[in-house]
Amino acid sequence: MDLQVLRSFQAVAEGMTVTEAAAAAHITQPALSRALNRLESEVGAELLQRVGRVLRLTPAGRVFKEYVDSVLDSYDRGRRAVAEVVDPDAGVVSLAFLHTLGTWLVPRLVTGFRQRFAAVRFELHQADENGLAQHLLDATADLIITGRDPGHPLITWRRLLVEPLWLAVPARHRLAQRRRVRLAEVADEQFIVLKPGYGLRSVTETLCRQAGFSPLVGFEGEEVETLRGLVASGLGVSLIPAAPDATTDAESNPDLPVRYLRLTDVQAVRDIGIAWPASRTLPPASRRFMDHALNTAAQP
């Protein structure tokens, strides 16, 4: 049993075909198949079972994979720790973040950080808010940038900034030529929202309650860009961050498919924060990036 076989087992268990995993390991498909068979012999149980064209984990395989994940994560962290001891100005920052923050905040923070620490590498992961906390708990990321406090006892969260939210309406909407509106003015319209469990969904419901109504949900999505596209198609309105470089001035941008209107009757904002594992010491590079984010994120 060696680490490469375990990595290949992990890859197949997570959905790769044996052919793809073999290519990633730079060995032939028959060689990897034999290695997986030897692994099963050493463990003493069938770990993978063919279902149609793909291999699926057996009950024994699911149990074994939990330990394989832990072994590989510990090994990778050990290599990182040694590398950072040898070169404390290098290292790797493993960062997960909301999809919407990948268009503006994360690039700005990473660029500013690498101006000081050019040798540092980044492992970047995008996820929804439910998945971000799991990245920390599974030790697949050292830091997450998210729209809300995960509220977990093993996770520490600090606010980075407050992000404005806008009422997004289609270009042909009756309010599209306005710059400011009351949220109550769209109380009877269909709202396009994220699915329950997402932080922005909770914020939307809270703001609507403050405006005196419960939102009439017409569509539910999993990404803000999906909501934006549905608004552009005229299927409803939504409370979302403005698109990058978007303007609320309809006169200067007559071709914009979505107009962003400022709300006057509620404080339409959401928190953006950074979180890290409360019980785990961060590697030096990740600690430096966390400090950088806390010190600079709110700057224009």
Side-chain angles (χ1 to χ4, degrees):
M1 189 183 303
D2 61 42
L3 287 176
Q4 185 54 61
V5 175
L6 293 180
R7 290 193 192 281
S8 296
F9 165 77
Q10 183 185 58
V12 173
E14 292 176 353
M16 265 194 189
T17 66
V18 174
T19 300
E20 291 168 338
H26 305 290
I27 60 176
T28 66
Q29 185 269 331
L32 178 55
S33 294
R34 290 192 295 271
L36 292 175
N37 288 336
R38 288 195 300 273
L39 178 62
E40 291 181 324
S41 296
E42 293 180 33
V43 174
E46 184 182 33
L47 303 175
L48 297 162
Q49 192 172 59
R50 184 164 295 281
V51 179
R53 292 185 164 185
V54 297
L55 291 175
R56 301 294 187 198
L57 286 171
T58 64
R62 284 193 292 272
V63 171
F64 185 63
K65 184 179 181 297
E66 294 180 10
Y67 291 91
V68 169
D69 291 343
S70 178
V71 167
L72 293 177
D73 178 69
S74 295
Y75 176 76
D76 291 339
R77 287 185 172 278
R79 290 188 61 186
R80 285 174 54 189
V82 170
E84 289 169 353
V85 168
V86 175
D87 185 359
D89 290 330
V92 178
V93 176
S94 182
L95 174 68
F97 54 91
L98 285 176
H99 292 84
T100 52
L101 304 180
T103 60
W104 63 283
L105 179 59
V106 172
R108 174 159 64 82
L109 290 176
V110 170
T111 298
F113 183 78
R114 295 197 75 236
Q115 288 174 352
R116 297 177 56 203
F117 303 102
V120 171
R121 294 187 300 108
F122 280 81
E123 293 177 353
L124 302 177
H125 313 271
Q126 290 180 293
D128 57 50
E129 290 191 84
N130 295 325
L132 287 176
Q134 202 60 45
H135 270 292
L136 287 186
L137 297 175
D138 291 343
T140 54
D142 290 328
L143 301 166
I144 60 173
I145 299 181
T146 181
R148 64 176 179 182
D149 184 345
H152 194 285
L154 297 179
I155 295 175
T156 301
W157 182 89
R158 293 287 183 273
R159 181 182 291 107
L160 291 175
L161 54 87
V162 176
E163 181 182 32
L165 299 176
W166 305 78
L167 179 67
V169 302
R172 296 183 179 276
H173 191 273
R174 60 186 174 84
L175 300 174
Q177 302 307 311
R178 301 261 298 274
R179 295 187 180 186
R180 294 176 175 81
V181 297
R182 291 179 299 109
L183 183 57
E185 293 182 66
V186 292
D188 296 330
E189 301 200 25
Q190 286 198 101
F191 273 73
I192 302 169
V193 297
L194 294 179
K195 291 182 177 180
Y198 287 75
L200 191 55
R201 170 67 175 264
S202 300
V203 171
T204 296
E205 292 174 339
T206 298
L207 291 175
C208 289
R209 283 197 299 270
Q210 291 175 2
F213 67 97
S214 295
L216 176 62
V217 175
F219 297 89
E220 294 179 333
E222 296 182 346
E223 294 185 6
V224 169
E225 290 307 313
T226 300
L227 309 191
R228 210 185 307 278
L230 293 173
V231 171
S233 298
L235 297 176
V237 302
S238 189
L239 284 174
I240 54 177
D245 303 321
T247 175
T248 59
D249 188 349
E251 295 180 0
S252 63
N253 291 273
D255 296 327
L256 285 177
V258 178
R259 307 293 166 81
Y260 297 92
L261 313 179
R262 187 181 300 278
L263 293 169
T264 60
D265 57 341
V266 293
Q267 187 177 10
V269 296
R270 68 168 174 174
D271 286 330
I272 300 297
I274 190 167
W276 60 93
S279 60
R280 196 167 74 234
T281 301
L282 289 175
S286 294
R287 180 76 196 188
R288 284 174 176 157
F289 181 78
M290 181 190 72
D291 292 340
H292 168 76
L294 287 168
N295 291 330
T296 66
Q299 297 176 5

